[in-house]
């Protein structure tokens, strides 16, 4: 039994769903950011799987761009985390309601 | 052989992801995310994406996760500040996620009728996915997006400095 693209796409979907679950459910801002990284990583896996099947390297370029954006996003997000913790002494996103969300 | 490797590392990546969303200690979550990212890197090698796998380990599992761990340890979160979510699982959200997953699978089945997606390719011609192959595409067809990436990085660096230097009184 060989591994087909369905296997990779189902794994990618599972990882994406787990990441989305973490973003929705968790209250700790740092873990929400980590779950976001997990979702990006799952989409990268789907990109690379399609790239393999279609024999086209464009998917790899997309993954490189996605990793770059993820790095920038984590840097800015963690700067926000540090500032928020210095100001509010907590990272509970239920407490952080300055934007009335 | 490839099947065994796929299942082992797929299972470890899913386990890492589950520990990530369910553990209440951010340090354990970060380390389990490293497990997930590393397993995904192994799967990238199975998919003949050697360069991407390397980038994944160096940038994702290396640099980004060090940044996460540094922040967690820098903030020195006390125990009571960690206890506000103890990994409870809302059942409704779980069912909703499962439905989303199943519907996504059927969407993919629909796509499979349109796209020429037959089988995984075990061996492409040599420069596929290596530094040579990816670099050739990156510096010819996608040169402008690659250069614009540097602008993004500069903006991110400046943004981080501006945000982190701000003092509240």
């Amino acid at each position: 039994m060989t591994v087909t693209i369905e296997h990779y796409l189902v794994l990618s979907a599972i990882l994406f769903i787990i990441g989305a679950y973490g973003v929705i459910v968790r209250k700790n801002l740092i873990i929400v950011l980590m779950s976001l990284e997990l979702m990006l990583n799952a989409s990268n896996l789907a990109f690379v799987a399609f790239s393999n099947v279609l024999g086209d390297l464009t998917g790899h370029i997309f993954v490189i761009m996605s990793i770059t954006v993820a790095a920038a996003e984590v840097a800015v997000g963690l700067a926000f985390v540090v500032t928020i913790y210095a100001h509010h002494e907590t990272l509970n996103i239920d407490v952080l309601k300055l934007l009335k969300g | 052989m490839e099947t065994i490797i796929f299942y082992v590392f797929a299972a470890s990546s899913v386990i890492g992801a589950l520990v990530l969303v369910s553990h209440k200690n951010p340090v354990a979550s970060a380390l389990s995310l490293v497990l997930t990212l590393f397993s995904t890197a192994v799967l990238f090698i199975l998919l003949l994406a050697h360069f991407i796998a390397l980038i994944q380990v160096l940038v994702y599992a290396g640099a980004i996760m060090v940044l996460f761990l540094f922040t967690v340890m820098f903030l020195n979160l006390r125990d009571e500040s960690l206890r506000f979510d103890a990994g409870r699982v809302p059942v409704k959200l779980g069912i909703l996620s499962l439905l989303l997953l199943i519907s996504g699978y059927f969407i993919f089945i629909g796509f499979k009728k349109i796209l020429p997606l037959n089988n995984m390719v075990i061996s492409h011609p040599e420069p596929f996915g290596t530094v040579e192959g990816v670099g050739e595409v990156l510096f010819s067809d996608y040169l402008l997006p690659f250069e614009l990436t540097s602008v993004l990085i500069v903006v991110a660096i400046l943004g981080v400095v501006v945000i982190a230097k701000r003092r509240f009184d």
Side-chain angles (χ1 to χ4, degrees):
Chain A
M1 163 172 182
T2 55
V3 179
T4 59
I5 185 169
E6 281 98 336
H7 291 72
Y8 285 100
L9 290 179
V10 168
L11 174 65
S12 163
I14 290 171
L15 290 179
F16 191 89
I17 293 286
I18 294 173
Y21 178 82
V23 170
I24 295 169
V25 169
R26 293 308 298 263
K27 300 276 192 292
N28 192 330
L29 194 52
I30 294 177
I31 294 181
V32 169
L33 274 174
M34 285 185 208
S35 306
L36 214 60
E37 292 303 305
L38 187 64
M39 291 167 74
L40 285 167
N41 190 53
S43 69
N44 288 350
L45 186 63
F47 266 125
V48 174
F50 274 116
S51 191
N52 181 310
V53 170
L54 299 173
D56 191 346
L57 278 174
T58 308
H60 292 203
I61 308 296
F62 264 95
V63 172
I64 291 173
M65 297 298 165
S66 154
I67 289 176
T68 315
V69 171
E73 171 238 317
V74 165
V76 176
L78 288 178
F80 273 122
V81 165
V82 170
T83 315
I84 287 170
Y85 191 73
H87 193 53
H88 291 280
E89 292 281 315
T90 183
L91 290 179
N92 189 342
I93 58 175
D94 281 346
V95 177
L96 305 171
K97 283 182 176 166
L98 280 179
L99 295 178
K100 311 290 181 201
Chain B
M1 187 60 195
E2 274 138 4
T3 314
I4 298 169
I5 295 175
F6 172 79
Y7 279 114
V8 168
F9 283 97
S12 74
S13 69
V14 172
I15 289 169
L18 286 175
V19 173
L20 162 66
V21 295
S22 61
H23 210 286
K24 66 177 176 179
N25 191 348
V27 177
S29 291
L31 292 177
S32 62
L33 184 53
V34 171
L35 174 69
T36 302
L37 296 173
F38 191 80
S39 313
T40 320
V42 175
L43 296 179
F44 285 165
I45 291 177
L46 274 187
L47 287 166
L48 303 173
H50 305 96
F51 180 59
I52 301 293
L54 202 70
I55 291 292
Q56 173 98 353
V57 172
L58 285 178
V59 177
Y60 244 128
I64 294 182
M65 294 320 297
V66 165
L67 201 58
F68 267 114
L69 281 174
F70 175 77
T71 309
V72 172
M73 292 173 180
F74 175 74
L75 293 181
N76 191 18
L77 300 171
R78 297 175 312 279
D79 275 347
E80 62 263 34
S81 67
L82 292 176
R83 217 173 287 149
F84 47 74
D85 60 340
R88 64 199 170 75
V89 178
V91 182
K92 278 180 191 167
L93 268 175
I95 294 171
L96 198 67
S97 308
L98 203 64
L99 285 177
L100 207 61
L101 190 64
I102 294 168
S103 61
Y105 182 70
F106 282 113
I107 289 172
F108 168 69
I109 295 293
F111 266 120
K112 208 173 174 243
K113 292 199 168 73
I114 312 169
L115 287 170
L117 301 175
N118 302 318
N119 278 317
M120 301 307 294
V121 184
I122 306 300
S123 65
H124 277 292
E126 181 40 51
F128 183 87
T130 60
V131 180
E132 186 191 345
V134 177
E136 203 180 315
V137 181
L138 189 61
F139 287 107
S140 59
D141 294 346
Y142 297 95
L143 185 61
L144 184 63
F146 176 72
E147 296 289 347
L148 287 178
T149 301
S150 62
V151 179
L152 175 75
I153 298 283
V154 170
V155 171
I157 293 170
L158 291 178
V160 167
V161 171
V162 169
I163 293 163
K165 265 180 76 78
R166 180 174 299 162
R167 287 283 170 267
F168 295 98
D169 34 61

